[in-house]
Amino acid sequence: MAAESDILSTEISGLDSLEARRVEPRRPVRAAWTATWPKLAAVAVVVGVWQSVAWLRIRPSYVLPDPATVLGALGELFSEPDFLQALGVTVQRGAAGFGVAIVIGTLLGIAVSRSSILRRTFGSLITGLQSMPSIAWFPFAILIFKLSEGAIMFVVVLGAAPAIANGLITGVDHIPPLLLRAGRVLGARGLSAYRHVILPAAFPEYLAGMKQGWAFAWRSLMAGELLVIIESRPSIGAKLQFARDLSDAPGLLALMIIVLLIGMVVDGLFFGTLERSLRNRRGLNDAR
Amino acid sequence: MRLHPPRIGAGPAATRAPGGTAGPAIAIRDVTKTYADGRSATKALEGLTLDVAPGEFVCILGASGCGKSTLLNLIAGIYRTSAGTIDVAGRRIALMFQEPALFPWLTVQHNVEMGMRFRRSVTKERRREEARRLLRLMHLEEWASRRPHELSGGMRQRVALARALAQEAEILLMDEPFGSLDAITRDLLHEEIERIWLENRLTIVFVTHNVREAVRLGDRVVLLSSRPGRLATQFPVGLGRPRRLEDAALGGIAAEISARLHEEVRRHGR
């Protein structure tokens, strides 16, 4: 019997090593280069086109400056006394608004995905809110909150929360029924089922919802900062508005580059990295 | 929170004697299950009465539409009976599906731990120890920190088995668990499950559509008729253990059951 079970375990481990997937060793430098060069190439193409258009003088250079001038203005930005303060205010508003939106969107998503009545009543409303341009909220927000932080916060949260809630609801809807049954058979009920089965299973789509929510939050914030300018609180949006008022085209474009960069860093570096590692862990990249 | 004993559909509430008392481990009495979807009603099971003794290995066999999976879900308490009662006397039940149904966000180790996660009485240390022991039992200890997608189908099904065993259930329900595996892997898993059953004195109800598999594993093979599922016949399998799929005596019994199964299918032909 002992010999037999030895044979059994040898055969099993033999099969396992034959069948299991071989994990390729990672090569970090090469991987980083593969990921980086297309982005650098894209930047080069854009700058090239921009430079050619500037050379063609379709518009005078004080309206459409060339890349080198804008790069210079970008450098000057950092020596301006209130630029870092403005950057701080904007980033802090974005983070706070997005944070509140995550909390509200998540609670809303859990509530709606749990209850069929809530889903029938508020489900389509949430989708509707998500497609509503958040800038349309500003007149109303300014009426309620005056020209204050509250008005900006209100619209940023309204812009982002529905996308986050929707992502979570979609995620819950798309959980394979077998996983839910497995959870139930193991004894997962109520809140513990949410914590250990439903939320982790819905996480990829929830994350996609957050990513989209961030895009909405960032857009709403820029719209808000252009409209709601508070004297004592310099911000990127306010500086954009001033640059336009002063016809400072290089400064304007430099600020736009800052807006683009912040959006890209959060979207690509933060959410992108999170998403990639999540897909790798769950084996969702295997088909590629 | 532990798995509930099956809810009783009709009839008086079942007595919940602690597990291990005399009498059957599973007492199925006159159970009918009807699925209704508004317009039409389908009878999946009708008037089924069956006892499973503690420590018995029963294989349920039948063509499609005989309500095999329905029966397991009823015993596990996931579905309610339309009529009749199922009494498991408060025994804890684990259920294994045809697919591994592992949680893709957890490592193999943590998947097995999920078998104990919802029982408050189990401490974290014991959960970890027990999962490790079960993975050793399944020859999977070196794979503990991997994710399910890195494993082969047979390995995943063994993780699922370890997770089911982690529930420390007295009754193990298996719904065609080896149906999608290749012949060699299935052979090895038959040996494994037989060994585990002998060592732990589990009560196993094993659903399959493979006649040889049923005879290879079961103390008794129960044949269900199709649409609605009723008890057709039962075959005691009086062969010694361990058995081998190639045994001549096993083949003889399998042939007999196959003939009966074909008869059952022909009844539905035109």
Side-chain angles (χ1 to χ4, degrees), chain B residues 6 16 21 46 54 60 71 88 96 133 156 171 201 268:
Chain B
R16 289 190 190 174
T21 50
E46 190 177 46
I60 311 261
L71 180 61
V88 295
M96 224 183 124
R133 186 187 73 82
R156 282 180 217 169
I171 298 172
R201 299 316 302 170
H268 290 270

Side-chain angles (χ1 to χ4, degrees), chain A residues 115-160:
Chain A
S115 137
S116 64
I117 296 175
L118 278 181
R119 175 183 300 245
R120 263 174 292 161
T121 45
F122 290 106
S124 52
L125 187 64
I126 293 174
T127 317
L129 273 181
Q130 191 186 338
S131 54
M132 182 167 160
S134 58
I135 197 163
W137 280 101
F138 265 108
F140 179 64
I142 292 170
L143 270 185
I144 294 185
F145 294 99
K146 308 273 173 9
L147 288 175
S148 72
E149 291 289 328
I152 296 176
M153 200 64 145
F154 177 76
V155 177
V156 168
V157 170
L158 260 175

Side-chain angles (χ1 to χ4, degrees), chain B residues 225-238:
Chain B
S225 68
S226 293
R227 251 174 235 139
R230 289 201 190 100
L231 189 83
T233 21
Q234 306 193 39
F235 299 84
V237 183

